[in-house]
Amino acid sequence: MKGIILAGGKATRLYPITRAVCKQLLPVYDKPMVYYPLSLLMLAGIKDILLISTPEALPRFKDLLGNGSEIGIKIRFAEQRTPRGIAQALTIAEGFIGKDKVCLVLGDNVFFGQGLSSLLKEAVRQKEGATIFGYYVNDPARYGVIGFDRKGGVSSIEEKPKRPKSNYVITGIYFYDHLACSIAKALKPSQRKEFEITDVNRYYLERGKLKVKLLGRGYAWLDMGTYESLMEASEFIKTMEQRQGVKVGCIEEVAYKKRYIDERQLRKLAKEIPTSYGDYLRRLLKNE
């Protein structure tokens, strides 16, 4: 399975913070925002990843992540010159995906919870169709909303409806089979003049090929699109790390525990980071 991180857009809701820097390069507590979706793909066992961003931001991502070899994965890059919706990522990545399955994750999303890795691996093993994850929120009209029938089955998916049918919304991680690119290419722009990922999900739903996993209590999903949500995410990560003594979204740790890199490589990475972050990596080796 291939992985895609969509880290484009202008992030105008975060102006003036994002006037000179891409949103997904902003810090979320002790690490860049993009580390969180990247670590998610790595936890799912995905090692071949395409990062899509603006032409202006791509050099910064390349400076930060390189080609991924330092953490035992492969990272490639592609331009999104004009943002036209999430589904556009699938058409940009058509050559990269080929005939493989794909996991698309938004670059401004944080997921946390015991058992998350198992849920991701289960979605990876699905041979056909699509898997998405739902989450209960108080303001569903901002998102793609999931509607349910009387038996609890998924009956509809609507993008930013004025009258949401439920409080369950679609989160920013999507698992698709090899048909996703052709489905995205056939889409027509919405009233917002964007290619909606909701339309891709609806295609699978109408054909009985969509699995929806609801993330209940014990899971956290943070979408960092506003000043408030950006601060909330940093506070959440800080609290979890200080209370539990483990890091969230630490790509070096994931690489080491997944055996993408060995002890020598982790020690080298730790040596290059002269902060408490580097101290944490050194403690991993000591604890081993």
Side-chain angles (χ1 to χ4, degrees):
M1 177 172 276
K2 302 287 182 65
I4 302 172
I5 299 174
L6 180 57
K10 296 181 179 180
T12 53
R13 287 186 297 168
L14 287 172
Y15 272 18
I17 300 173
T18 51
R19 287 184 69 94
V21 63
C22 181
K23 175 172 67 172
Q24 293 81 6
L25 290 169
L26 294 175
V28 178
Y29 186 45
D30 59 352
K31 59 191 75 69
M33 187 185 296
V34 72
Y35 273 35
Y36 298 94
L38 177 56
S39 68
L40 197 71
L41 292 176
M42 294 169 66
L43 280 172
I46 299 171
K47 298 176 66 177
D48 196 356
I49 297 166
L50 180 72
L51 188 146
I52 300 174
S53 190
T54 64
E56 297 79 16
L58 280 179
R60 305 287 77 78
F61 282 110
K62 292 177 181 179
D63 289 343
L64 175 66
L65 301 172
N67 62 9
S69 60
E70 285 191 339
I71 52 174
I73 64 175
K74 186 174 184 179
I75 301 177
R76 309 182 219 186
F77 301 89
E79 292 183 353
Q80 184 188 40
R81 293 187 174 274
T82 304
R84 297 287 305 279
I86 297 172
Q88 184 189 28
L90 295 170
T91 60
I92 293 173
E94 182 180 16
F96 166 75
I97 297 171
K99 297 184 180 298
D100 291 321
K101 297 182 295 181
V102 64
C103 174
L104 167 62
V105 58
L106 303 187
D108 61 354
N109 277 216
V110 171
F111 293 82
F112 180 82
Q114 186 71 27
L116 181 60
S117 181
S118 297
L119 287 177
L120 297 175
K121 290 176 182 177
E122 182 183 344
V124 168
R125 288 193 296 267
Q126 186 175 343
K127 294 182 178 180
E128 64 175 3
T131 298
I132 58 176
F133 295 89
Y135 193 82
Y136 188 97
V137 299
N138 291 323
D139 53 349
R142 292 176 49 205
Y143 305 95
V145 176
I146 304 168
F148 300 93
D149 59 28
R150 293 181 178 180
K151 295 183 179 180
V154 177
S155 60
S156 66
I157 298 175
E158 297 178 279
E159 182 65 24
K160 297 181 175 61
K162 293 182 179 179
R163 296 182 179 179
K165 294 181 179 179
S166 83
N167 285 80
Y168 280 96
V169 303
I170 300 170
T171 65
I173 184 167
Y174 317 86
F175 290 85
Y176 297 121
D177 61 19
H178 68 283
L179 297 176
C181 288
S182 58
I183 295 169
K185 286 178 66 177
L187 295 181
K188 295 181 179 180
S190 65
Q191 291 183 347
R192 302 191 304 159
K193 298 182 179 180
E194 292 188 358
F195 298 100
E196 306 287 358
I197 200 68
T198 293
D199 290 335
V200 176
N201 296 330
R202 190 180 293 117
Y203 179 95
Y204 283 103
L205 174 64
E206 291 171 351
R207 287 155 182 81
K209 298 290 186 179
L210 180 70
K211 287 186 178 181
V212 180
K213 302 287 187 179
L214 299 181
L215 300 176
R217 293 185 178 183
Y219 289 95
W221 169 57
L222 306 170
D223 172 23
M224 295 165 285
T226 64
Y227 301 128
E228 292 77 16
S229 59
L230 184 61
M231 289 296 295
E232 288 170 1
S234 287
E235 287 296 326
F236 175 80
I237 298 299
K238 176 184 177 182
T239 299
M240 298 307 299
E241 292 189 356
Q242 290 183 346
R243 287 183 179 178
Q244 298 187 356
V246 296
K247 289 203 173 295
V248 180
C250 179
I251 57 176
E252 298 86 357
E253 179 179 12
V254 175
Y256 181 59
K257 292 191 172 180
K258 297 283 286 185
R259 300 187 184 278
Y260 299 163
I261 60 175
D262 57 24
E263 181 180 329
R264 177 189 59 82
Q265 291 168 300
L266 181 61
R267 183 174 288 108
K268 181 177 182 293
L269 291 172
K271 187 177 181 180
E272 295 171 353
I273 306 176
T275 62
S276 59
Y277 192 102
D279 294 337
Y280 176 79
L281 299 181
R282 283 183 281 273
R283 285 199 301 274
L284 290 176
L285 293 167
K286 185 177 179 180
N287 293 338
E288 287 286 320

